[in-house]
């Protein structure tokens, strides 16, 4: 039997020759295909699992390399600490045995050192990266420079640390057939290392970093490490983002990437953090940083905070149960950052407020575009030679603070505390246990651009000839270099670098008189542009020149490079201990003469322009291996 009759699909009439199944098949063939102009995305099972979460991430290896990195840093710190303890013990032994000896009697300490030490100092510890340049800035033009080069020892540390980061990031399963699984492994490794590097990054950025004094490493060196660790962290987070984007684009196209960034909190927070860190990298490039330093500093702090907050949101909003395993590290970053800021607040509050009132500052304009700032602290603050402090002034960008070396300080006692001894120099001593009630601290601040120029202009325009205003003193910081155990000290200063050296001079002369220091000879070499800048330190130098036995201990050589008048050049004091000369010093000849007259172990310190520091460094390296102990200390702040 035939099935029921159907209308022909084309003629619209019944076709007695077609059964029902045949008619349906013919009808299907006549329907035109539907063109889908908007495809519905379908997740690829070989791609989708690897664009989020921990799928494909080699977490055991991530934790392994994290531990190795931290153990490397910790081990390096322990090694440096042991070296530091050895140096302190050696210096203490030298001090105790030499502080009651005359200069010529300290011959043992003049020559006593390991046979391999001079070569190590010359070739590694004091060596620049290449031939000579270290702290002298690389100038591209009169307004653009590329910063400075690390020393050879710093370069070795950076090479080991940055090289190990790269090695750990690319120890992957390169035999993985699925390239998207490989991308997931790269994403996990790079993201983990980036967050790991943020912890030492935040520690090294702090001026209250306890490792500065513990390891005897200057803030300037930690600042260098901070910059390079930051660059590595940004590089790793960019790799992290790219590895995610490659998989996401393959799975869902660029529209999918956009949708994730805009509507997925996990991806969106991560993207904002990446952008913030990339902007930090661009702004931290040396020409940009040096051209707009004050603006850079404020922007840097804000963007870093944005990056840290976004990193935390990124970790806690992951689909992984309990969030990503890096959450404790991010919390540690916030704790460290908060603790360092809290320490600053405590220092500020303690130093600048007491029952006697608040800190005030007297700002005097000086010849040669400089200011002499005297801060009157309302309480006693102990200060050591070679320290610096961060200053703020009411009405002059009080949100900004800048470091300056302490040139001079005096402690004030209550009227009821009578001195038990007054020397011929006018200095006074008080009974043991008598505590000063307040401290006066002085600085010499050269006028350059920005804040320092504004301070100088404001003081110069004061009708009273000096400016008195509320101020804040944060510090003191540093001061971890002690010269007390050296029989012979040579101090080089360029322009305002004299502030760093003055406090050492007074301390060492007093130490020699009191037999608390081994120092028997101090030579100061100060390079200035013109005679007028001598006014900067006139009141302090007058006190130094009146100290007992000063003529037997101190030699001063002042070099005037660009005198406005020839008068007053080639002057020798009646005592023969103070000399003023034209031109620039021949550092090699000066130090060779000092070595010929060396008393005990000798240390050479320098504070001033980078070019002067490099000259002195090169001359000290040339003295190594000449049969005597010559150490080198440079005070610098490369920003």
């Amino acid at each position: 039997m035939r099935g029921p009759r159907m209308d022909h699909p084309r003629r619209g009439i019944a076709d007695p020759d077609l059964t029902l199944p045949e008619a349906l098949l013919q009808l299907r063939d006549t329907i035109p295909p539907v063109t889908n102009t908007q495809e519905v995305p379908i997740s690829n099972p070989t791609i989708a699992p690897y664009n989020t979460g921990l799928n494909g991430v080699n977490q055991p290896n991530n934790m392994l390399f994290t531990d190795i990195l931290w153990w490397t840093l910790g081990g390096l710190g322990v090694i440096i600490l042991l070296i530091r303890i050895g140096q302190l013990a050696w210096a203490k032994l030298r001090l105790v045995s030499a502080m009651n000896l005359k200069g010529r009697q300290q011959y043992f300490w003049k020559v006593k050192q390991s046979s391999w030490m001079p070569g190590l100092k010359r070739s590694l510890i004091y060596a620049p990266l290449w031939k000579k340049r270290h702290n002298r800035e690389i100038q591209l033009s009169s307004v653009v420079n590329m910063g400075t080069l690390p020393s050879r020892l710093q370069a070795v540390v950076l090479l080991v640390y940055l090289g190990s980061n790269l090695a750990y990031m690319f120890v992957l399963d390169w035999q993985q057939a699925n390239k998207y699984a490989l991308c997931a492994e790269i994403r996990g490794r790079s993201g983990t290392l980036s967050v790991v590097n943020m912890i030492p990054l935040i520690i090294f950025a702090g001026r209250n970093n306890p490792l500065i004094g513990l390891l005897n490493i200057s803030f300037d060196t930690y600042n260098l490490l901070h910059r390079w660790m930051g660059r590595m962290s940004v590089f790793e987070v960019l790799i992290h983002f790219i590895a995610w984007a490659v998989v996401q684009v393959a799975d869902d196209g660029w529209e999918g990437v956009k949708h994730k960034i805009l509507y997925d909190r996990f991806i969106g927070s991560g993207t904002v953090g990446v952008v913030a860190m990339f902007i930090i990298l661009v702004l931290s490039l040396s020409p940009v940083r040096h051209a707009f330093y004050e603006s850079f500093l404020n922007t840097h702090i804000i963007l870093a905070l944005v990056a840290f907050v976004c990193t935390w949101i990124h970790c806690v909003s992951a689909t992984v149960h309990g969030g990503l395993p890096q959450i404790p590290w991010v919390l540690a970053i916030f704790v460290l950052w908060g603790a360092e800021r809290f320490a600053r607040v405590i220092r500020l509050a303690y130093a600048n407020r007491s029952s006697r009132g608040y800190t005030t500052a007297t700002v005097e304009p000086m010849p040669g575009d400089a200011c002499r700032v005297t801060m009157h602290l309302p309480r006693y603050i102990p200060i050591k030679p070679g320290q610096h402090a961060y200053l703020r002034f009411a009405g002059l960008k009080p949100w900004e603070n800048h470091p300056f070396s302490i040139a001079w300080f005096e402690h004030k006692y209550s009227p009821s505390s009578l001195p038990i001894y007054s020397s011929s120099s006018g200095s006074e001593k008080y009974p043991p246990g008598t505590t000063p009630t307040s401290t006066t601290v002085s600085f010499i601040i050269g006028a350059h651009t920005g804040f320092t120029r504004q301070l100088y202009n404001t003081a110069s325009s004061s009708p009273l000839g000096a400016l008195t205003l509320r101020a804040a003193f944060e510090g003191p910081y540093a001061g971890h270099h002690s010269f007390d155990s050296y029989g012979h000290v040579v101090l080089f200063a360029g322009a305002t670098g004299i502030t760093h050296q003055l406090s050492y001079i007074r301390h060492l002369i007093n130490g020699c008189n009191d037999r608390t220091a081994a120092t028997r000879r101090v030579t100061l070499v100060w390079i200035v542009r013109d005679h007028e800048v001598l006014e900067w330190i006139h009141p302090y130098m007058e006190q130094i020149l009146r100290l007992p036995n000063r003529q037997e201990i101190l030699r001063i050589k002042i070099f005037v490079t660009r005198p406005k008048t020839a008068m007053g050049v080639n002057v020798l004091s009646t005592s023969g201990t103070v000399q003023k000369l034209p031109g620039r010093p021949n550092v090699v000849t000066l130090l060779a003469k000092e070595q010929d007259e060396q008393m005990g172990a000798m240390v050479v310190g320098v504070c001033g322009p980078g070019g002067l520091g490099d000259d002195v460094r090169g001359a000290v390296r040339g003295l190594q291996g000449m049969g005597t102990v010559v150490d080198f200390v440079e005070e610098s702040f490369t920003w």
Side-chain angles (χ1 to χ4, degrees):
M1 295 180 58
R2 292 185 177 270
R5 286 174 30 180
M6 296 291 299
D7 293 333
H8 195 280
R10 295 182 181 176
R11 296 192 301 267
I13 58 175
D15 187 348
D17 298 327
L18 293 178
T19 64
L20 179 58
E22 293 172 338
L24 290 174
L25 289 173
Q26 187 172 11
L27 180 62
R28 185 198 65 180
D29 295 338
T30 60
I31 298 175
V34 177
T35 303
N36 186 4
T37 59
Q38 188 171 6
E39 296 183 3
V40 178
I42 301 175
S43 294
N44 190 321
T46 64
I47 301 176
Y50 302 112
N51 65 3
T52 188
L54 297 179
N55 293 323
V57 174
N58 191 333
Q59 200 61 15
N61 275 2
N62 290 348
M63 295 298 103
L64 172 64
F65 291 124
T66 296
D67 291 342
I68 293 175
L69 200 59
W70 279 342
W71 276 105
T72 301
L73 284 175
L76 181 61
V78 170
I79 292 172
I80 296 174
L81 179 60
L82 293 175
I83 295 173
R84 170 67 169 151
I85 293 173
Q87 289 176 333
L88 289 175
W90 186 255
K92 187 66 174 179
L93 178 62
R94 184 168 59 199
L95 173 62
V96 171
S97 63
M99 64 184 180
N100 289 312
L101 299 178
K102 294 181 180 179
R104 299 303 176 188
Q105 295 175 332
Q106 298 183 26
Y107 180 80
F108 174 82
W109 296 109
K110 175 182 175 179
V111 299
K112 180 59 178 176
Q113 62 180 331
S114 300
S115 59
W116 46 266
M117 183 56 72
L120 188 64
K121 291 178 182 177
R122 182 175 57 250
S123 302
L124 182 63
I125 299 175
Y126 300 155
L129 183 59
W130 300 120
K131 294 183 178 180
K132 182 179 179 180
R133 184 186 292 270
H134 172 50
N135 270 333
R136 184 180 180 182
E137 294 179 338
I138 304 172
Q139 293 286 148
L140 299 183
S141 70
S142 59
V143 295
V144 179
N145 73 73
M146 289 295 294
T148 61
L149 294 174
S151 69
R152 195 168 297 171
L153 180 58
Q154 290 170 342
V156 170
V157 173
L158 287 173
L159 182 63
V160 170
Y161 188 80
L162 300 180
S164 63
N165 264 266
L166 291 174
Y168 301 154
M169 186 160 55
F170 293 111
V171 177
L172 306 167
D173 182 11
W174 294 102
Q175 304 302 318
Q176 172 64 252
N178 188 333
K179 66 178 182 180
Y180 303 109
L182 182 62
C183 285
E185 189 177 2
I186 295 174
R187 170 171 56 84
R189 182 71 45 76
S190 56
T192 298
L193 291 175
S194 180
V195 179
V196 167
N197 281 313
M198 289 181 186
I199 296 178
L201 176 72
I202 203 70
I203 294 175
F204 294 169
R207 62 187 68 155
N208 289 287
N209 175 9
L211 298 177
I212 294 175
L214 186 65
L215 303 182
N216 194 24
I217 297 176
S218 67
F219 177 70
D220 188 61
T221 297
Y222 283 112
N223 205 10
L224 172 72
L225 296 174
H226 168 79
R227 291 196 294 269
W228 281 101
M229 282 186 173
R231 290 163 185 157
M232 176 54 69
S233 183
V234 174
F235 171 73
E236 288 166 341
V237 84
L238 289 174
I239 295 294
H240 178 72
F241 180 80
I242 292 171
W244 167 80
V246 167
V247 179
Q248 185 63 42
V249 169
D251 182 46
D252 208 7
W254 286 106
E255 282 297 321
V257 172
K258 177 182 175 181
H259 184 273
K260 286 275 189 180
I261 292 174
L262 294 178
Y263 301 108
D264 188 316
R265 186 173 63 171
F266 174 68
I267 300 300
S269 60
T271 304
V272 173
V274 170
V275 172
M277 293 180 70
F278 181 74
I279 295 174
I280 288 176
L281 176 65
V282 174
L283 296 181
S284 67
L285 296 176
S286 190
V288 180
R289 187 175 75 249
H290 285 79
F292 310 99
Y293 182 70
E294 292 170 355
S295 300
F296 155 77
L297 192 59
N298 296 323
T299 306
H300 185 81
I301 294 171
I302 294 172
L303 288 174
L305 189 58
V306 169
F308 292 148
V309 170
C310 288
T311 302
W312 180 77
I313 297 174
H314 182 68
C315 290
V316 299
S317 59
T319 55
V320 180
H321 179 68
L324 294 178
Q326 289 80 13
I327 291 177
W329 307 346
V330 181
L331 292 178
I333 292 170
F334 282 107
V335 169
L336 291 168
W337 186 86
E340 204 280 330
R341 294 286 163 169
F342 182 70
R344 295 189 191 185
V345 172
I346 294 299
R347 279 181 177 267
L348 279 169
Y350 178 78
N352 300 287
R353 177 71 175 93
S354 77
S355 59
R356 299 178 185 86
Y358 299 89
T359 298
T360 60
T362 302
V363 185
E364 306 169 76
M366 292 279 110
D369 283 3
C371 293
R372 186 163 61 211
V373 177
T374 304
M375 303 192 79
H376 308 278
L377 307 182
R379 68 168 70 243
Y380 164 68
I381 300 294
I383 297 173
K384 297 187 298 184
Q387 290 192 303
H388 65 265
Y390 290 79
L391 307 185
R392 290 179 171 87
F393 297 91
L396 294 172
K397 301 180 179 179
W399 58 88
E400 291 185 5
N401 59 99
H402 300 270
F404 300 101
S405 294
I406 296 174
W408 200 256
F409 62 91
E410 293 180 350
H411 301 307
K412 305 295 183 181
Y413 292 80
S414 64
S416 61
S417 301
L418 298 177
I420 60 174
Y421 171 77
S422 180
S423 70
S424 59
S425 67
S427 61
E428 297 176 335
K429 294 184 178 181
Y430 289 81
T434 304
T435 303
T437 57
S438 61
T439 300
T440 299
V441 191
S442 299
F443 306 83
I444 305 298
I445 300 176
H448 298 286
T449 59
F451 166 79
T452 56
R453 176 58 63 178
Q454 184 180 0
L455 179 66
Y456 174 76
N457 292 341
T458 304
S460 300
S461 61
S462 174
L464 300 177
L467 180 67
T468 301
L469 70 168
R470 287 275 298 277
F473 172 97
E474 183 193 332
Y477 291 100
H480 45 271
H481 290 295
S482 173
F483 296 161
D484 291 0
S485 67
Y486 293 94
H488 201 127
V489 178
V490 183
L491 302 173
F492 285 85
T496 55
I498 188 63
T499 57
H500 181 77
Q501 313 296 29
L502 275 181
S503 58
Y504 277 112
I505 294 172
R506 179 175 63 168
H507 172 80
L508 292 172
I509 294 176
N510 286 333
C512 178
N513 290 327
D514 297 337
R515 290 297 185 262
T516 58
T519 307
R520 301 296 178 263
R521 172 65 58 82
V522 178
T523 300
L524 172 66
V525 181
W526 187 21
I527 301 97
V528 298
R529 288 191 176 186
D530 192 61
H531 307 278
E532 61 183 8
V533 304
L534 302 181
E535 180 63 25
W536 294 354
I537 63 168
H538 181 262
Y540 318 134
M541 190 57 71
E542 275 195 338
Q543 295 187 49
I544 289 176
L545 295 178
R546 291 200 302 266
L547 290 174
N549 301 312
R550 187 275 309 171
Q551 293 184 9
E552 289 75 28
I553 303 170
L554 180 63
R555 301 288 184 271
I556 300 175
K557 297 179 185 292
I558 301 173
F559 289 85
V560 184
T561 59
R562 300 178 187 176
K564 295 178 182 177
T565 173
M567 294 181 61
V569 182
N570 274 326
V571 173
L572 181 66
S573 67
T574 55
S575 65
T577 59
V578 180
Q579 190 175 10
K580 189 157 53 172
L581 301 163
R584 298 182 182 276
N586 186 321
V587 178
V588 174
T589 302
L590 280 174
L591 285 181
K593 185 175 184 297
E594 293 294 327
Q595 190 179 39
D596 289 340
E597 301 174 357
Q598 185 172 338
M599 300 180 182
M602 184 166 77
V603 63
V604 180
V606 60
C607 182
L612 173 63
D614 290 351
D615 288 342
V616 176
R617 178 185 294 270
V620 171
R621 292 179 65 214
L623 298 180
Q624 304 303 320
M626 304 296 288
T628 66
V629 176
V630 183
D631 291 339
F632 175 71
V633 174
E634 182 176 16
E635 178 68 16
S636 62
F637 184 80
T638 53
W639 45 275

